[in-house]
Amino acid sequence: MAIENELLERAKQAREQAYVPYSKFPVGAVFVGENGEWFEGCNIENSSYGLSNCAERTAVFSALRTGMRSGKMIAVIADTKGPVAPCGACRQVLSEFLPKDARIVLGNLQGDMKVTTMEELLPGAFGPEDL
């Protein structure tokens, strides 16, 4: 569990950069690319909520910007009662860039952690391999 703890700590640091003037709900994430490189993300809000971006997607899009096209795992953290879970939109984006058996590390600021897989997070996901 050492890597999971380290990822959550990095996600916690990324969370501190969140821009959340409306929800006051900062979230941090770290996406591990196919080559092992780590990409941080935080949520960024806009007064037009549909233009906001979640931490998970920010991290994935940061990886894609460098030419990365797949990943190994992701960690997400927020100040919640239990480990925070990605929203539906993030689950769909993650399913596009993570294999079904990729580890998904969910955490909160109290130190709770849950490790799951992409398949468990979004069973029956549709992706480019289905075309």
Side-chain angles (χ1 to χ4, degrees):
M1 289 291 195
I3 184 99
E4 290 85 356
N5 288 323
E6 191 174 345
L7 282 168
L8 285 176
E9 187 56 39
R10 277 281 277 283
K12 190 177 186 182
Q13 292 170 12
R15 177 184 172 274
E16 294 173 9
Q17 301 304 314
Y19 177 74
V20 292
Y22 307 102
S23 72
K24 310 280 193 261
F25 184 69
V27 179
V30 176
F31 180 80
V32 181
E34 61 200 2
N35 67 354
E37 190 173 348
W38 293 14
F39 299 89
E40 293 89 1
C42 60
N43 52 330
I44 302 167
E45 295 178 346
N46 187 276
S47 59
S48 175
Y49 263 46
L51 301 179
S52 298
N53 203 53
C54 297
E56 300 91 327
R57 286 182 281 147
T58 301
V60 170
F61 297 161
S62 293
L64 293 173
R65 183 202 56 76
T66 70
M68 197 77 52
R69 291 298 178 254
S70 66
K72 296 180 178 184
M73 65 189 298
I74 191 166
V76 187
I77 196 166
D79 189 8
T80 49
K81 289 182 182 178
V84 69
C87 72
C90 287
R91 291 174 193 220
Q92 182 59 44
V93 168
L94 291 172
S95 74
E96 185 104 0
F97 300 103
L98 288 172
K100 292 181 187 305
D101 64 348
R103 287 184 316 199
I104 313 293
V105 183
L106 311 174
N108 67 11
L109 298 184
Q110 293 73 40
D112 298 322
M113 179 193 311
K114 177 180 180 181
V115 180
T116 187
T117 66
M118 191 65 245
E119 176 68 25
E120 291 169 340
L121 198 61
L122 187 62
F126 174 84
E129 69 280 356
D130 298 311
L131 299 177

